Amino acid sequence: MEEELKNFIKVWVSIIISVSYCYYLSTRIKPGVLRLLSVLPVCVLFLLLPLFFSSVHFSGSAAFFFTWLANFKLILFSFDKGPLYPLPQTLSWFIYFTCFPIKSQHNPKSQNEIPKWVFAIKVVIFGVLLRMCDYKQHMSPTMLLIIYSLHIYLELEIGLVLVKALVFISLGCDLEPQFNEPYLATSLQDFWGRRWNLMVTAILRPAVYDPVQRIAEWKMSSDHARFLAVLATFLVSGAVHELIFFYITHKMPTGEVTWFFVLHGVCTAAEVAVKKRTFMQRWKMSHMVSRPLTVGFVVLTTGWLFFPPLIRNGMFEKLPNEVLLCIDFVKHKLFNFGS
């Protein structure tokens, strides 16, 4: 753990220097190809950062925060687009908004904000799941699938909420939530577009969906262009997830994760097309039916295509073990500090 923390400090020093360089580019190089070429060395560095860590959590977080989101933000920034445009008012704000999956919230009273008691319940459930992992050999495959799905979701949400809280304390500005109760999704469009990992959605739309749709509309109808844009967005997401899985497993991609996102891209695009039909606009499915169908489809396809690479490489043993190790490390340091 201490060696990982040393690497953590070294990585963050390089990140701050690199992002500061990008910030000062905006005053010297106009948006366009030249700025993009100036930013590319930083993007290459961010591709290498996860390799400095051996733990799943550190390498996975570095891959998600920097290799994926920060790189996409900086590429969009090169053309005055995305979350970094307009340019944040200070260098510190630019660093925060580049490095963390956060976005300013213009409506502080957003209904998407999670009540504190709901978050507390999720933390308790996550703690129970950590202990249940000790007895997984006695559980059925269906039960394990549910536990793995809850574990991934809760660990992501709790981690991102903590990051958001730390940034909020530092900046004092309102930030949008990263999740919006995805288990309440009534459709795949609702799940991926409005509830699951909203920072990723905010990045992929201007980076992939909008340009693909705009280019495709030169050659095909708007409906076909929209279908192609949705499929391209999910395909890019799948490719990036394959890269993240490589960082945390150190195994070559198998393509299963990409197929998971291609499947969801096709199904989401088909769902949107069907909804536009006249007979579907007159008929509304009850949420009591659409919610379990949507969540069930996500969980089942996750168990079929998304989880196997993680299970084969023992990630669901490493994840809870690292969390418990981190908790013990913090307790040990606090105990020694108090004494």
Side-chain angles (χ1 to χ4, degrees):
M1 179 62 75
E2 291 186 357
E3 187 64 30
E4 285 287 272
L5 291 177
K6 290 178 183 178
N7 291 335
F8 179 82
I9 293 171
K10 293 176 184 177
V11 164
W12 266 104
V13 170
S14 65
I15 289 168
I16 292 172
I17 293 172
S18 301
V19 175
S20 300
Y21 156 77
C22 293
Y23 178 77
Y24 289 111
L25 280 180
S26 62
T27 61
R28 291 165 174 78
I29 302 179
K30 293 181 179 180
V33 175
L34 183 58
R35 187 190 288 184
L36 174 62
L37 292 175
S38 302
V39 165
L40 283 181
V42 175
C43 295
V44 173
L45 172 64
F46 284 5
L47 282 171
L48 300 176
L49 291 181
L51 300 176
F52 285 86
F53 300 109
S54 58
S55 71
V56 176
H57 287 88
F58 276 130
S59 58
S61 297
F64 178 54
F65 285 13
F66 309 120
T67 303
W68 187 357
L69 294 184
N71 271 349
F72 273 66
K73 290 177 187 178
L74 290 174
I75 291 170
L76 289 169
F77 157 78
S78 299
F79 300 96
D80 274 354
K81 296 182 183 296
L84 299 179
Y85 181 78
L87 191 71
Q89 51 191 309
T90 64
L91 172 60
S92 60
W93 280 52
F94 185 82
I95 292 173
Y96 276 114
F97 282 101
T98 301
C99 297
F100 296 109
I102 55 173
K103 186 180 178 184
S104 293
Q105 182 168 253
H106 302 294
N107 179 17
K109 296 182 179 179
S110 172
Q111 295 180 352
N112 292 342
E113 199 64 43
I114 303 172
K116 291 182 175 61
W117 64 269
V118 173
F119 179 72
I121 291 175
K122 291 178 180 179
V123 172
V124 171
I125 293 174
F126 182 67
V128 172
L129 290 176
L130 287 177
R131 293 304 175 186
M132 289 178 68
C133 290
D134 294 334
Y135 306 96
K136 63 179 180 296
Q137 65 271 19
H138 304 297
M139 299 179 190
S140 67
T142 302
M143 179 60 70
L144 282 176
L145 176 57
I146 294 171
I147 289 175
Y148 289 160
S149 301
L150 284 172
H151 183 109
I152 292 293
Y153 160 57
L154 291 174
E155 183 162 337
L156 276 173
E157 177 158 11
I158 291 169
L160 291 176
V161 166
L162 293 177
V163 168
K164 174 188 169 185
L166 291 174
V167 175
F168 173 77
I169 292 170
S170 301
L171 299 182
C173 66
D174 291 298
L175 303 171
E176 291 188 357
Q178 292 93 342
F179 288 88
N180 180 22
E181 313 301 342
Y183 47 84
L184 297 180
T186 57
S187 66
L188 290 176
Q189 183 185 19
D190 184 36
F191 180 86
W192 292 112
R194 293 184 286 270
R195 293 187 179 274
W196 181 262
N197 215 343
L198 300 179
M199 187 68 244
V200 170
T201 302
I203 290 292
L204 288 177
R205 177 170 286 278
V208 182
Y209 180 88
D210 290 340
V212 169
Q213 182 181 26
R214 189 163 51 249
I215 293 171
E217 284 180 341
W218 296 348
K219 299 290 185 179
M220 57 186 69
S221 67
S222 59
D223 287 342
H224 289 157
R226 191 179 301 111
F227 179 88
L228 186 62
V230 170
L231 190 58
T233 302
F234 277 89
L235 184 60
V236 169
S237 182
V240 177
H241 276 83
E242 294 277 13
L243 182 60
I244 293 175
F245 278 30
F246 168 75
Y247 287 129
I248 64 178
T249 65
H250 302 289
K251 302 292 184 181
M252 292 303 294
T254 61
E256 291 162 290
V257 180
T258 300
W259 280 114
F260 169 82
F261 283 97
V262 169
L263 173 63
H264 276 260
V266 171
C267 292
T268 301
E271 178 187 272
V272 172
V274 169
K275 285 180 178 178
K276 290 183 176 295
R277 302 298 180 185
T278 305
F279 72 91
M280 287 300 297
Q281 292 176 355
R282 298 172 183 171
W283 178 69
K284 296 292 183 181
M285 184 182 294
S286 168
H287 289 176
M288 296 293 290
V289 176
S290 60
R291 279 176 178 156
L293 284 177
T294 301
V295 176
F297 180 78
V298 172
V299 171
L300 288 174
T301 52
T302 297
W304 174 32
L305 293 170
F306 191 87
F307 283 160
L310 298 178
I311 294 172
R312 282 196 301 269
N313 293 284
M315 290 300 107
F316 285 106
E317 285 76 29
K318 294 179 181 179
L319 284 172
N321 288 341
E322 286 187 3
V323 172
L324 294 173
L325 179 63
C326 181
I327 293 172
D328 290 339
F329 179 80
V330 173
K331 285 181 179 178
H332 177 70
K333 290 296 182 182
L334 289 176
F335 181 78
N336 287 344
F337 179 78
S339 60

